[in-house]
Amino acid sequence: MSYRIFNRPDRFAEGWYWALDAAALARGGVAKLNLLGRDLALYRGEDGKVAALDAFCPHMGAHLGEGNVDGCRLRCLFHDWAYEPDGRCSDAPGAAGGVPPSSARTSSWPVTEAYGLIWVWTGPEARRPAPFVPELGDEDADWSHGSSFVKDCHPNVVMINAIDAHHFNTVHHLPVKLEMEPRTRNENNIEFANTTTVPTTSLLGRLIAPFYHDALTYWMSYWYGSTGTVTLGPDFLHFHILFALRAAEGGKTEGRTVLVTRKRAGLHGWALNRVLLALTNLVGSYFAHGDTKIFRSIKFDLKTPLAADRPILRFIEHLEKQAVSPWCRPVEPAREPAEA
Ligand code: FES
Ligand SMILES: [Fe+2]
């Protein structure tokens, strides 16, 4: 079955996508990046702000990611034209009177930073804040980076794994029966929350049950279909794992995990958070490894859905309603050579 957005190599929803580690781009730094098939030049100006420009210089096509930062502008390495963060050329050495031609402009895309990552919005105007852990809202969060990985299938397929309740028994051997109830936050975010209580048929279940007042906490909150946050843990201590994924060449997925917890005051709070984040990383790694063989060879096609697969169908339905990124439009037709 073919969808409008879900599991397509050529389409993705408009939204925030993880681009780079924030630490990889110091002040005055420049990076070349192919994000979702689009060539970008990212740079951090001397004011500390990051800009993302379409990569190829409107003069002669040099990659602006080879250029140099000049204050808050990016200068092309080839003939030194300077581009502002909004993509406008403000200095064109060699042009008559140094005045840039009106067509000397490249596209600029919204950029933000969150959880130590640089995110780029795949459309002209960002309509929402960067993905966040809903339970923490805009509270200060403490975080550390977990693993970087590549999977051999589409990011949407990796993402739905988190709400495939049955596979927690078959692949991850967990003695739980999860039922994921959807709740929609906005048109770009849907969350699934488990509604079943901790089973007390095993010793582990009996030990942890007193720490869960109601249902066994396991929530998955999706942003734009390729980024999600998992929340789990006893009532007094929730762990959060952010999965930031994006489609890469060859039908693959590139991903990062970020471990997140609420900020705790003082040195003691800082030290406690280091331990909690390390524990969260162990949990994340356990789940990430279990599915490796599945992702290596799956040709996803939900031809025979069961009642237990309803959350997956609900996720697909949610994703299908989102706006397709304008980056996915077909390439422009050929044009006449420009006159000098
Ligand atoms: S190609 Fe960029 S200034 Fe000439
Ligand atoms: Fe899994």
Side-chain angles (χ1 to χ4, degrees):
M1 173 154 184
S2 172
Y3 296 98
R4 182 173 157 268
I5 299 178
F6 178 80
N7 195 24
R8 285 186 63 137
D10 57 339
R11 296 270 186 87
F12 47 89
E14 183 174 346
W16 291 110
Y17 289 81
W18 150 65
L20 275 182
D21 280 14
L25 206 57
R27 271 170 210 260
V30 187
K32 287 197 290 186
L33 177 72
N34 184 285
L35 180 63
L36 296 158
R38 194 170 194 100
D39 287 296
L40 300 175
L42 271 72
Y43 73 96
R44 193 186 291 278
E46 298 299 345
D47 60 355
K49 292 196 182 128
V50 178
L53 304 180
D54 269 356
F56 301 109
C57 180
H59 177 213
M60 215 182 273
H63 199 301
L64 294 172
E66 305 285 3
N68 300 302
V69 172
D70 172 11
C72 296
R73 305 189 290 186
L74 180 60
R75 282 198 181 270
C76 179
L77 185 65
F78 206 176
H79 309 98
D80 213 28
W81 289 19
Y83 294 91
E84 301 288 329
D86 66 1
R88 189 171 43 89
C89 177
S90 55
D91 185 29
V99 180
S102 57
S103 59
R105 180 181 196 102
T106 187
S107 295
S108 165
W109 305 102
V111 174
T112 192
E113 295 185 55
Y115 303 119
L117 299 176
I118 296 170
W119 305 76
V120 174
W121 179 274
T122 57
E125 204 175 326
R127 291 191 305 271
R128 301 204 173 278
F132 59 90
V133 177
E135 191 184 43
L136 299 182
D138 49 16
E139 254 187 80
D140 266 357
D142 207 351
W143 49 262
S144 68
H145 286 174
S147 53
S148 307
F149 52 86
V150 174
K151 303 283 181 196
D152 293 327
C153 64
H154 192 280
N156 295 157
V157 174
V158 178
M159 277 282 135
I160 56 171
N161 191 258
I163 51 169
D164 182 343
H166 188 190
H167 101 289
F168 286 113
N169 309 130
T170 51
V171 175
H172 302 293
H173 309 297
L174 294 179
V176 290
K177 180 160 176 14
L178 300 178
E179 285 186 22
M180 308 299 289
E181 193 63 33
R183 50 188 181 217
T184 306
R185 181 167 281 103
N186 59 50
E187 77 263 27
N188 298 129
N189 178 274
I190 189 169
E191 184 163 285
F192 293 84
N194 174 51
T195 58
T196 62
T197 53
V198 179
T200 49
T201 45
S202 68
L203 177 62
L204 177 66
R206 287 193 290 278
L207 283 174
I208 66 168
F211 300 108
Y212 291 86
H213 186 252
D214 295 315
L216 171 71
T217 307
Y218 177 73
W219 309 331
M220 177 68 187
S221 179
Y222 291 103
W223 295 97
Y224 317 108
S226 294
T227 298
T229 67
V230 170
T231 294
L232 69 172
D235 293 346
F236 67 92
L237 188 61
H238 282 177
F239 300 88
H240 310 284
I241 308 170
L242 183 142
F243 293 87
L245 311 184
R246 62 189 184 208
E249 270 187 34
K252 294 179 194 279
T253 292
E254 290 172 325
R256 297 292 322 247
T257 57
V258 183
L259 305 321
V260 185
T261 187
R262 67 177 71 247
K263 197 121 187 154
R264 291 176 173 83
L267 189 60
H268 181 257
W270 179 88
L272 174 62
N273 276 1
R274 305 283 68 75
V275 175
L276 292 178
L277 293 171
L279 282 174
T280 315
N281 197 20
L282 287 179
V283 174
S285 304
Y286 172 77
F287 284 105
H289 284 126
D291 303 296
T292 301
K293 278 190 190 168
I294 312 289
F295 295 144
R296 197 183 291 158
S297 49
I298 189 170
K299 281 189 196 288
F300 183 88
D301 191 358
L302 184 46
K303 281 192 229 167
T304 318
L306 304 176
D309 300 320
R310 260 190 225 126
I312 295 175
L313 294 170
R314 185 72 186 76
F315 168 82
I316 294 173
E317 186 189 309
H318 165 79
L319 182 58
E320 291 291 284
K321 283 194 226 146
Q322 296 190 39
V324 174
S325 165
W327 288 14
C328 304
R329 283 188 192 131
V331 286
E332 290 168 30
R335 48 184 192 138
E336 297 296 313
E339 283 186 27

